[in-house]
């Protein structure tokens, strides 16, 4: 799972397979995705961005499950960790 400067989230399924394809999961952040992490036992990825938002994505059906926009900070979010 990786994010882009344009605010898109991509997923490479079966990353170890030589024919693995990169899929667009969502275009949603307004600006660069600055942090991405996945939940260990679920099909979710969490992203944070320069737009100050946190999003929880279900990457099996390409939906946003939780959207928290404009966290109460005065700087871009830069680190995330899911346990």
């Amino acid at each position: 799972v990786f994010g882009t400067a344009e605010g898109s989230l991509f997923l490479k399924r079966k990353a170890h397979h030589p024919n693995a394809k990169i899929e667009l999961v969502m275009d949603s952040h307004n600006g660069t995705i600055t942090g991405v992490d996945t939940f260990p036992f679920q099909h979710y990825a969490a992203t944070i961005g320069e737009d100050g938002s946190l999003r929880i994505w279900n990457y099996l059906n390409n939906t946003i499950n939780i959207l928290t926009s404009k966290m109460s900070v005065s700087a871009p979010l830069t680190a995330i960790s899911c346990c």
Side-chain angles (χ1 to χ4, degrees):
V1 177
F2 60 95
T4 69
E6 292 78 27
S8 301
L9 181 70
F10 287 88
L11 170 68
K12 187 173 182 181
R13 297 184 196 276
K14 299 180 184 178
H16 61 281
H17 192 275
N19 295 327
K21 295 182 181 175
I22 296 173
E23 302 173 21
L24 174 66
V25 176
M26 282 283 192
D27 281 321
S28 188
H29 281 278
N30 295 319
T32 300
I33 293 177
T34 56
V36 177
D37 201 3
T38 57
F39 291 79
F41 303 105
Q42 298 175 341
H43 300 287
Y44 296 108
T47 60
I48 55 174
E50 285 183 338
D51 60 2
S53 67
L54 163 71
R55 290 170 166 76
I56 307 295
W57 311 81
N58 179 324
Y59 56 79
L60 288 183
N61 62 15
N62 297 354
T63 59
I64 298 175
N65 287 53
I66 298 172
L67 166 61
T68 304
S69 60
K70 299 299 177 191
M71 303 289 282
S72 299
V73 294
S74 60
L77 303 173
T78 58
I80 188 167
S81 178
C82 302
C83 299

